[in-house]
Amino acid sequence: AQANVGWLEQRREAAVARVAATRGRVQELERRLDEADRLETSMQDTLLVLVDRLEQSVARSLPFLAGERAARLASLKEVLARPDVAAAEKLRRVLEALQVEAGYGHTVEVLQVPITVGGETVHADVLRLGRVALMWRTPDGARAGVYDPGEAAWTELGAGERRRIGLAMEMASRLRAVEVVDLPLGRIAP
């Protein structure tokens, strides 16, 4: 019986040690959960600020791909408002949107869109030079101009600039070898 009592006391001490270790682990996990909740709330606020800044940046930038950019912002706001979406997914979506917007800065493209020049709607080829400038030319090449960010309006330019804009559009469309062209970039908006 004494041997049994000794063995049972050893087992009891081992069980008490396991319970203490388990309680310590549970407390650590509870602390981590509280910290994760705090971080998630903080991250939600940070993501909302980032999306707001992104929205302001898009509103101040050149008016290109307006529908696509507005849809991306609306989608981001919807995802951030949903409580069932994980914080990691929200962060991924915001970072992806920032990456796409940053990517516009180092790309060149030519799009065919209707624009308003002096109150008249003109169907034009629009050359986007990164986030720096927008230039336009009619398909027949008779008219050309730039987007003036200071005036927030499309303006028409003379014949000399028309030719250079046409050359730049051909290079952007890969119809001509790339060369240095003096383009009318205009002024930068405040």
Side-chain angles (χ1 to χ4, degrees), residues 78-141:
E78 175 195 333
V79 166
L80 290 180
R82 290 180 45 199
D84 62 322
V85 176
E89 176 63 15
K90 292 177 182 181
L91 176 63
R92 185 192 70 76
R93 295 281 303 271
V94 169
L95 292 176
E96 184 180 80
L98 290 170
Q99 187 175 22
V100 168
E101 283 293 324
Y104 290 139
H106 58 82
T107 57
V108 176
E109 67 180 342
V110 178
L111 301 168
Q112 294 180 344
V113 294
I115 60 173
T116 303
V117 180
E120 173 189 1
T121 300
V122 176
H123 291 282
D125 297 328
V126 175
L127 170 65
R128 180 181 58 80
L129 296 174
R131 300 176 70 86
V132 176
L134 292 174
M135 299 173 194
W136 64 274
R137 184 179 74 162
T138 56
D140 62 2

Side-chain angles (χ1 to χ4, degrees), residues 2-190:
Q2 289 260 346
N4 259 350
V5 168
W7 180 78
L8 289 174
E9 284 179 358
Q10 287 177 347
R11 295 269 317 217
R12 182 181 163 277
E13 288 173 8
V16 167
R18 276 196 309 269
V19 167
T22 302
R23 283 186 180 144
R25 182 152 167 78
V26 166
Q27 288 174 345
E28 175 63 18
L29 290 173
E30 286 174 348
R31 186 193 66 76
R32 286 184 182 181
L33 281 173
D34 291 342
E35 182 69 14
D37 286 342
R38 187 187 65 75
L39 285 174
E40 186 171 345
T41 302
S42 174
M43 186 168 71
Q44 178 75 16
D45 294 341
T46 302
L47 292 177
L48 289 170
V49 168
L50 282 173
V51 169
D52 185 51
R53 286 183 184 170
L54 178 61
E55 187 173 28
Q56 291 172 11
S57 173
V58 167
R60 285 190 316 263
S61 75
L62 297 173
F64 62 91
L65 303 173
E68 176 183 319
R69 294 167 87 192
R72 184 177 305 108
L73 286 170
S75 172
L76 272 178
K77 287 180 178 181
E78 175 195 333
V79 166
L80 290 180
R82 290 180 45 199
D84 62 322
V85 176
E89 176 63 15
K90 292 177 182 181
L91 176 63
R92 185 192 70 76
R93 295 281 303 271
V94 169
L95 292 176
E96 184 180 80
L98 290 170
Q99 187 175 22
V100 168
E101 283 293 324
Y104 290 139
H106 58 82
T107 57
V108 176
E109 67 180 342
V110 178
L111 301 168
Q112 294 180 344
V113 294
I115 60 173
T116 303
V117 180
E120 173 189 1
T121 300
V122 176
H123 291 282
D125 297 328
V126 175
L127 170 65
R128 180 181 58 80
L129 296 174
R131 300 176 70 86
V132 176
L134 292 174
M135 299 173 194
W136 64 274
R137 184 179 74 162
T138 56
D140 62 2
R143 298 171 66 190
V146 296
Y147 180 80
D148 183 353
E151 297 293 323
W154 296 94
T155 60
E156 192 163 352
L157 299 174
E161 286 86 2
R162 191 171 38 221
R163 183 180 179 289
R164 289 182 280 177
I165 291 172
L167 289 172
M169 284 185 175
E170 289 173 3
M171 286 183 251
S173 299
R174 299 177 190 239
L175 300 174
R176 175 189 262 326
V178 177
E179 59 186 79
V180 177
V181 179
D182 184 23
L183 293 171
L185 295 180
R187 62 184 173 174
I188 297 175

